[in-house]
Amino acid sequence: QNLNVKHNPDIRLQQVDLAIKAGWPEVGIGVLLGLNPNIEEELSHLIAHYYWLTRQGVRQVTISVPRINRAKNTKITCKIHDNVFIKTVYVIRILCPKAKIVLTARESIKIRNSLKPITHIWGVKGSTVPGVYTLNNKMRNGQFLLKDGRSIKDLC
């Protein structure tokens, strides 16, 4: 059995349950937009999960909304266009009003600035992030390309 959390959705969901049982006041969930071509299905499951968590007594639910991005040794077949992504984030904001919505540095400065009033921006140059990321469209050893390389000081 593969116990790598990133490759096993059942274990990923179990980790959220364990966090709730341990009494964590904040739990993070998310969906990699574009992995499933049916974005409505992904959203409905994400929003249902948000409400289930709130009924379990989780005080703060953080929702991460990364989009699938070009990665080393992969071919992307489903791309979420900017206007669809922005609408998706607004739908999450409206239907999950108390959630903390997180944008990563995978998004462009333009997208992150346009969604700044309703989201939290995460992932900046010099921050500690999962995986290995690169700036300036250089894939050397990086897993994903970052489109926003601003520092924390520049974001504030």
Side-chain angles (χ1 to χ4, degrees):
Q1 178 182 7
N2 184 358
L3 295 179
N4 184 330
V5 174
K6 286 194 171 216
H7 294 103
N8 189 322
D10 292 330
I11 290 177
R12 289 181 77 146
L13 289 172
Q14 290 168 5
Q15 299 306 307
V16 174
D17 290 340
L18 290 174
I20 293 168
K21 287 177 185 171
W24 287 22
E26 182 172 340
V27 175
I29 60 174
V31 61
L32 182 55
L33 297 170
L35 197 56
N36 179 348
N38 187 339
I39 195 166
E40 293 86 2
E41 178 182 54
E42 291 290 347
L43 272 178
S44 66
H45 290 292
L46 179 72
I47 291 164
H49 196 188
Y50 165 81
Y51 280 100
W52 182 84
L53 289 169
T54 60
R55 286 192 307 275
Q56 302 308 307
V58 175
R59 289 185 295 216
Q60 178 64 62
V61 178
T62 300
I63 299 175
S64 180
V65 288
R67 273 192 283 183
I68 199 162
N69 196 345
R70 186 169 63 95
K72 243 182 178 180
N73 302 319
T74 63
K75 293 179 183 174
I76 296 175
T77 58
C78 181
K79 181 173 170 55
I80 304 296
H81 296 282
D82 289 350
N83 60 341
V84 172
F85 178 72
I86 290 169
K87 288 176 185 176
T88 299
V89 174
Y90 271 95
V91 166
I92 294 169
R93 169 52 58 228
I94 291 165
L95 296 177
C96 306
K98 295 182 180 179
K100 184 190 305 180
I101 302 173
V102 179
L103 295 180
T104 69
R106 292 181 191 188
E107 298 304 330
S108 69
I109 291 172
K110 179 181 176 184
I111 294 290
R112 283 170 48 130
N113 283 345
S114 70
L115 292 169
K116 188 175 182 180
I118 66 164
T119 63
H120 288 77
I121 293 179
W122 179 84
V124 294
K125 184 171 83 175
S127 69
T128 304
V129 292
V132 180
Y133 295 78
T134 64
L135 290 169
N136 303 325
N137 296 328
K138 295 179 183 170
M139 288 299 289
R140 285 177 269 152
N141 295 322
Q143 181 183 10
F144 295 103
L145 298 174
L146 298 184
K147 296 178 182 172
D148 186 350
R150 293 177 289 175
S151 68
I152 292 173
K153 182 181 175 184
D154 294 336
L155 288 171
C156 296

